[in-house]
Amino acid sequence: MEFAEDSLDAVLFKLYRALEVNGQQNAGSRGSTRELISVTLNIKKPRARVSISENRGKPFSALGELLWYLSGSNTLKFIEPYVPRYKDDAVNGILEGAYGPRLLNMRGGINQFDSIHQLLKEKPGSRRAVIQLFNAEDISTAHREIPCTTTMQFHLRNGVLHMSVTMRSNDAYWGLPHDVFCFTMIQEMMARRLGAEMGDYYQYVGSMHVYEKYLPSMTEYVEEGFQQTREMPPMSKGNPFDIVEQFLEIESRLRKGESIVAADEINDSYWADILRLLQAFWARKFVKDYPARLLELKAELACEFYAPYLEGRLHLNSQAASASDTHCLKD
C-alpha cells in the first residue's frame, strides 16, 4: 500500500483512514495493534514535515529527538524531558537502540554522516550511500529496545538529494510524525552539506501499526479534516553539521535554566528560530510568567511558520492553569 502526497499531514490523513478501514488486528509486544503490512510513504514536499493539526502538531519533542540523534547520546537523561515515554525502555539509564551512537560512532569510530558526504562528493551517482542502524546483534541477544529504523539511503541525482528510509516497524500515531521530522531534517542537512537541493522523501515500513488504545485519538485527527500544506522555510546554505556542537552547548544551558537571546547566540535567522522553539520548550520549567515569555519569543521569530506552535503552547498552558503559508519576516 502506497501513500504519495505533498505533506506529512496529507499522508497521515490517508494512512489513518486506511488503518481504520483495512488494518488487521495483531498482538504486538506492547499491546494489541491495528496493522498494515508493507507500506510505502512518499512526501513530495518534505519541508512540510510538521503537522499543522491541533492533534499532531508537536515540533518540540521531535526537535529534542533530532538533537538527541545529533549528540551521539544514548542516555535517558538527554531525551526524557522531550519524550518521557522512553523511560519505559531504558536499562540503567541507557537506551540500547538509540540512534546517536550508531550514526556517529558505529562500531567504535565510524561517523556515518561523514562517510556519506565523502562518498557522494567522490561518486555523486552512487547507490551505496546507505546508513545502517539495525545490527544483526539486535536480535541475536535480548534487548528491551532495538531500532525500528533499519537503513537510511541517500540518492544524489542531478543536484537533488532524495532520501529513502526503511523501517521494520513504525507506530503510525506516536512514532511516525517524529520520524518524518527527524529524517527529513537530516535529509535537508545532508543536502546543504553537499550543496544540493532537497528532493523527495520515501519511507518503507514492514509493519505500519497503531495501538488500539490510541484509535480514538487517531480518529479525532481524521475528524479535524484535511490540512493545508505549509512548509518550513528552507534551511540556510552552508554545512549545518558545523553548528551542531554549538547548538548542543546552547541547549545544555537552556536545560539548566539560563536565559539567552537567540539572535546573540546564532547569527542566522533560520537556526535562531529553531533555538527559539527550544527556548519555548524549556521556559515552561524555569520562567515564572510563561505566557509572557512565549509572547516575547513569538515576537522575535524571523518566520511566521512557527508562531502557531508557540500559540499552541499558550493554549496548553491556559488549559493546565484552569485545570489546577510560511511567511518569513526577517530572512
Side-chain angles (χ1 to χ4, degrees), residues 3 151 215 246 256:
F3 302 89
T151 61
L215 282 172
Q246 178 189 5
K256 295 173 185 174

Side-chain angles (χ1 to χ4, degrees), residues 145-331:
E145 180 251 359
I146 61 175
C148 292
T149 308
T150 55
T151 61
M152 304 176 186
Q153 184 172 4
F154 300 88
H155 317 274
L156 184 57
R157 302 292 185 270
N158 300 316
V160 177
L161 187 70
H162 307 281
M163 184 182 190
S164 301
V165 170
T166 305
M167 305 187 74
R168 63 173 182 84
S169 173
N170 206 189
D171 177 341
Y173 187 72
W174 285 108
L176 176 56
H178 269 214
D179 294 329
V180 169
F181 180 89
C182 292
F183 297 152
T184 60
M185 285 290 285
I186 288 171
Q187 177 187 3
E188 190 167 12
M189 290 175 73
M190 287 300 301
R192 283 293 185 248
R193 184 172 179 175
L194 289 161
E197 295 301 315
M198 192 179 186
D200 281 17
Y201 173 78
Y202 302 90
Q203 185 168 309
Y204 171 78
V205 183
S207 167
M208 180 70 79
H209 57 268
V210 58
Y211 289 96
E212 291 202 340
K213 62 183 177 180
Y214 297 124
L215 282 172
S217 298
M218 190 178 78
T219 300
E220 285 179 16
Y221 171 89
V222 173
E223 289 175 348
E224 275 192 57
F226 185 76
Q227 307 292 334
Q228 64 179 310
T229 298
R230 293 179 67 244
E231 298 179 81
M232 281 178 61
M235 199 173 283
S236 305
K237 293 185 178 180
N239 181 3
F241 289 91
D242 286 343
I243 69 166
V244 168
E245 186 175 349
Q246 178 189 5
F247 219 89
L248 290 169
E249 188 275 331
I250 298 169
E251 191 272 353
S252 72
R253 288 153 48 198
L254 292 176
R255 67 168 63 215
K256 295 173 185 174
E258 184 174 328
S259 178
I260 67 167
V261 176
D264 292 344
E265 299 285 342
I266 296 182
N267 185 28
D268 181 296
S269 62
Y270 178 92
W271 291 108
D273 271 352
I274 300 296
L275 187 52
R276 290 179 184 108
L277 294 182
L278 289 177
Q279 289 180 272
F281 177 84
W282 286 105
R284 188 171 185 180
K285 180 177 180 180
F286 295 108
V287 178
K288 186 175 181 179
D289 192 348
Y290 183 57
R293 183 60 179 137
L294 287 177
L295 291 173
E296 289 174 355
L297 290 169
K298 181 183 172 185
E300 292 176 13
L301 287 171
C303 191
E304 285 186 345
F305 174 88
Y306 305 104
Y309 302 105
L310 298 187
E311 292 164 0
R313 292 189 77 80
L314 276 170
H315 178 62
L316 288 173
N317 188 73
S318 64
Q319 283 185 325
S322 63
S324 55
D325 331 305
T326 302
H327 173 59
C328 298
L329 302 175
K330 307 170 189 172
D331 230 1

